């Protein structure tokens, strides 16, 4: 049994090693895995510091990768984003700084290796509860609350393996709120007491992986969705950017940004007055160890 497993593993590795890269950047018949993963840490330590301040420790672990398989006219691409970070200070205690799970997969068929008839599905959620700090009593999000999923059928323009644009006139956006408390208050656009909402609409997605300069690379993904309803024209946006800057063989600096807008996610003033949706933005700059694959 061990000998059979070893032979299978050797065959898979050989396929990835000896497959020829074509002018589009694909290795015909091979499974190609690439991306970046790492751990960023930041520490502030003070002793008898007259100017004031307090000790602090923060960090985040991340992964942004893709798996591509090209076989004849068929192309299968899967992307995975994982990111989780915490910070701790004496006055504020432990707080979550970033929390993201993103998975997408697509299968396309092409006759010219540029335009692909494509079926795409994705899922976006988080690992743990989220709070509107400093309030740590009432959580405002949780695992699979919300979770967003898009199932889309359309055309993808992919002139090279490292960047693409996908357009779907037939897309279903599903919102899941699998938490009793958040479901009861009607969070994330679901009706109070419901755990599921579906909208049909148009969907656009762009992705690029490219070097910006020597030892600096960028991976960016942007999603746009508008429903076929009275809300048509209100575009939900999710735009992720990861810039990785290699310092040496072991150390790397990263800039990770996320911009979001969801018309169903309303905001509240400090007095509890309900307001409309707002643009959400998060940026994290970190230095740590990273591995590019």
């Amino acid at each position: 049994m061990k000998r059979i497993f070893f032979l299978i593993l050797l065959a898979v590795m050989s396929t990835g090693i000896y497959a020829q890269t074509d002018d589009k950047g694909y290795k015909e018949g091979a499974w190609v895995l690439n991306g970046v993963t790492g751990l960023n840490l930041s520490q502030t330590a003070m002793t008898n510091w007259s100017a004031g301040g307090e000790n602090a420790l923060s960090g985040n672990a991340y992964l942004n990768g893709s798996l591509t398989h090209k076989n004849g006219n068929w192309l299968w691409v899967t992307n995975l984003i994982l990111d989780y970070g915490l910070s701790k200070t004496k006055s504020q205690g432990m707080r979550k700084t970033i929390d993201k799970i993103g998975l997408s997969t697509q299968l396309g068929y092409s006759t010219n290796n540029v335009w692909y008839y494509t079926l795409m599905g994705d899922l976006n959620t988080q690992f743990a509860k989220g709070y509107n700090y400093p309030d740590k009593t009432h959580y405002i999000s949780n695992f699979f609350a919300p979770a967003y999923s898009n199932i889309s059928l359309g055309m993808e323009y992919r002139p090279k393996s490292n960047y693409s644009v996908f357009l779907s006139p037939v897309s279903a956006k599903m919102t899941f709120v699998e938490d009793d408390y958040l479901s009861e208050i009607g969070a994330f656009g679901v009706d109070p007491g419901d755990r599921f909402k579906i909208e049909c609409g148009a969907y656009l997605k762009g992705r690029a992986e490219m070097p910006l300069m020597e030892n600096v690379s960028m991976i960016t993904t942007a999603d746009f969705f508008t429903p076929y309803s009275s809300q048509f024209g209100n575009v939900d946006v999710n735009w992720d950017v990861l810039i990785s800057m290699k310092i040496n063989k072991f150390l790397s600096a990263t800039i990770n940004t996320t911009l979001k807008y969801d018309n169903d996610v309303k905001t509240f003033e400090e007095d509890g007055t309900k307001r409309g949706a707002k643009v959400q933005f998060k940026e994290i700059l970190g230095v740590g160890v990273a591995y590019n694959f």
Side-chain angles (χ1 to χ4, degrees):
M1 187 67 183
K2 291 182 179 179
R3 186 175 300 175
I4 295 174
F5 175 77
F6 176 77
L7 291 174
I8 293 174
L9 180 62
L10 183 62
V12 172
M13 294 177 60
S14 299
T15 301
I17 294 172
Y18 296 108
Q20 296 295 318
T21 303
D22 62 19
D23 59 346
K24 303 291 185 182
Y26 300 110
K27 293 183 179 181
E28 182 67 26
W31 294 89
V32 180
L33 178 66
N34 58 58
V36 59
T37 185
L39 176 67
N40 293 325
L41 294 172
S42 173
Q43 181 191 20
T44 302
M46 300 178 180
T47 303
N48 301 322
W49 191 251
S50 60
E54 62 180 338
N55 297 342
L57 178 66
S58 64
N60 73 293
Y62 63 91
L63 180 147
N64 193 320
S66 66
L67 179 65
T68 303
H69 181 63
K70 180 76 165 59
N71 193 348
N73 294 328
W74 292 94
L75 176 65
W76 188 8
V77 180
T78 299
N79 298 301
L80 177 64
I81 298 175
L82 302 175
D83 204 347
Y84 191 78
L86 297 169
S87 68
K88 184 178 182 181
T89 63
K90 183 177 180 180
S91 62
Q92 298 177 344
M94 188 75 74
R95 291 188 175 189
K96 185 173 70 171
T97 57
I98 190 168
D99 188 355
K100 182 187 302 181
I101 301 173
L103 174 66
S104 68
T105 189
Q106 63 186 73
L107 180 64
Y109 180 85
S110 177
T111 57
N112 60 6
N113 286 328
V114 175
W115 288 95
Y116 289 83
Y117 303 98
T118 299
L119 176 64
M120 177 184 293
D122 65 22
L123 177 67
N124 294 278
T125 185
Q126 62 191 54
F127 289 99
K129 290 181 179 179
Y131 297 87
N132 186 18
Y133 298 111
D135 181 7
K136 295 183 179 181
T137 305
H138 303 96
Y139 59 92
I140 59 174
S141 61
N142 203 349
F143 175 70
F144 238 79
Y148 299 103
S149 179
N150 273 296
I151 305 296
S152 307
L153 182 64
M155 292 290 295
E156 183 183 47
Y157 175 67
R158 186 182 283 265
K160 293 287 186 179
S161 64
N162 61 329
Y163 62 91
S164 63
V165 177
F166 172 74
L167 176 61
S168 170
V170 184
S171 179
K173 177 186 176 183
M174 292 165 282
T175 303
F176 302 86
V177 182
E178 296 297 327
D179 180 275
D180 292 337
Y181 166 68
L182 296 173
S183 171
E184 287 299 324
I185 65 174
F188 305 105
V190 302
D191 293 330
D194 288 348
R195 295 172 175 263
F196 177 76
K197 178 181 179 180
I198 186 168
E199 300 171 277
C200 294
Y203 178 67
L204 175 68
K205 179 176 183 176
R207 179 179 172 88
E209 303 177 35
M210 64 184 72
L212 300 180
M213 59 184 71
E214 186 177 1
N215 293 328
V216 180
S217 61
M218 179 181 72
I219 302 174
T220 181
T221 304
D223 302 82
F224 307 88
F225 176 86
T226 185
Y228 293 140
S229 67
S230 59
Q231 300 297 317
F232 184 79
N234 291 328
V235 181
D236 296 340
V237 180
N238 189 84
W239 181 19
D240 293 315
V241 178
L242 174 63
I243 298 176
S244 178
M245 297 164 282
K246 185 177 180 181
I247 300 173
N248 56 33
K249 184 177 180 181
F250 302 103
L251 297 178
S252 177
T254 60
I255 301 175
N256 194 330
T257 67
T258 298
L259 184 147
K260 288 185 176 183
Y261 178 83
D262 190 334
N263 192 59
D264 294 325
V265 180
K266 307 305 181 183
T267 57
F268 294 87
E269 301 293 345
E270 292 184 0
D271 61 2
T273 304
K274 189 175 182 179
R275 299 295 184 186
K278 294 182 179 180
V279 174
Q280 307 168 55
F281 182 76
K282 178 178 287 187
E283 178 266 334
I284 294 179
L285 172 63
V287 177
V289 293
Y291 174 69
N292 291 273
F293 53 91

